Amino acid sequence: MGLRDALGEWLGSDDERVRIPTDDGSDALALAREIAENPRTVELRDGRDLGYATVGDPDGDPLVLFHGFPNSRVFAAAFDDVAREQGVRVIAPERPGFGVSDPDPDRALTDWPADVADMADALELAEFPVLGISAGGPYAAVTAALLDQRVERAGIVCGLGPMAAVGVRDRLWYYSARALPPAAKLALWLGGRQALKDRDAFLESMADSAAPADGPVWTGELGQVVHASMIESRRHHGLDPLVTETALFGRSWGFDLGSVDVPTWLWYGKEDTVVPAAMGLYLADAIPTAEAHVYPDLGHLSTVERTAEEVFETLSG
């Protein structure tokens, strides 16, 4: 075994043994654990399996949700209540190599709409809105652009934008994954050690480094579901797919944002320390149909939490 293989084995060695904690009284966390322990998959046209979860009203109108980074289908558990209240059935697919989805190391962002179409065919979804949260934002944009015959509306909440939206310092993490994948993998492992070992300490550290409005959200139920989603994201295929995705964001997205012609809404927090609000402003300028909402006092998770009802009401039509 070479050094690189040995390093890869060491970095991913603990993932299979980690399980999602349970908290008495948290319906969302109980659902997150249920989703993790009872995976659903569909087979894609190239033979890969795609993992997905469904939450909300099982008889409701569909909404396809794209999770953040490093998240998984488990993230959907955070939206079960609001989806049930509004009569929405949420379908949350996992990207290649995340959760139980088979890896696709050579994938491009523009490959994603075909995966979504295959899943929609398997689940008999004719038309549907899409919602991308955080790192799911680019996937919502590309699906709206390339699968516009089936996508009715698109929403992006605190979504990543192209690297042209920000300065060099904010691009370095994504560029480093392109130039030095082993270093990016090591950084992800180091960053994830505390998350795997001590959930509460990890969430406290996230709260301490986040915008003031984000602090109680990180240590509350939404933060706990995000943590559970993070655990599941890497548990089956390790860290390599996460490095692949990080590098993907640092490249050209491969399609014209100006070609998005479905109604599109953007929600961003000006105090976001995870995704700069400048990325949302860039998307607002680049997408002809975009309507942007920027909240001066909100950060990353606080924007997700406080806009959830509005987002679902808007996208469900």
Side-chain angles (χ1 to χ4, degrees), residues 242-267:
L242 277 63
V243 176
T244 296
E245 171 142 307
T246 305
L248 183 152
F249 293 138
R251 300 188 179 100
S252 168
W253 285 7
F255 72 101
D256 181 8
L257 286 165
S259 67
V260 177
D261 61 5
V262 303
T264 302
W265 289 266
L266 312 174
W267 290 269

Side-chain angles (χ1 to χ4, degrees), residues 40-114:
R40 297 180 179 183
T41 62
V42 295
E43 185 175 345
L44 304 178
R45 67 188 72 186
D46 62 3
R48 286 181 294 117
D49 283 339
L50 183 81
Y52 73 97
T54 60
V55 302
D57 183 349
D59 299 316
D61 293 331
L63 182 152
V64 178
L65 170 70
F66 303 141
H67 61 75
F69 177 95
N71 293 155
S72 62
R73 69 194 186 283
V74 169
F75 183 59
F79 303 98
D80 183 58
D81 283 347
V82 67
R84 287 182 183 277
E85 290 170 2
Q86 299 199 25
V88 174
R89 177 192 178 201
V90 175
I91 302 99
E94 292 175 316
R95 295 187 291 271
F98 287 62
V100 295
S101 286
D102 288 337
D104 183 8
D106 299 321
R107 69 186 176 98
L109 183 63
T110 49
D111 295 329
W112 180 244

Side-chain angles (χ1 to χ4, degrees), residues 112-204:
W112 180 244
D115 289 356
V116 175
D118 285 353
M119 180 195 72
D121 289 343
L123 299 181
E124 300 182 343
L125 307 178
E127 296 179 338
F128 45 86
V130 296
L131 170 60
I133 296 180
S134 192
Y139 293 91
V142 73
T143 305
L146 302 186
L147 205 63
D148 59 330
Q149 71 275 19
R150 299 181 74 166
V151 173
E152 300 171 310
R153 293 169 292 279
I156 296 174
V157 180
C158 301
L160 280 173
M163 293 297 103
V166 294
V168 174
R169 186 173 69 174
D170 288 322
R171 305 179 192 184
L172 288 179
W173 166 240
Y174 305 99
Y175 287 173
S176 68
R178 291 172 53 188
L180 297 168
K185 185 174 182 178
L186 179 59
L188 285 167
W189 181 79
L190 291 171
R193 288 179 66 191
Q194 187 180 45
L196 295 173
K197 182 179 179 182
D198 188 332
R199 182 195 67 184
D200 292 341
F202 168 75
L203 294 177
E204 286 285 355

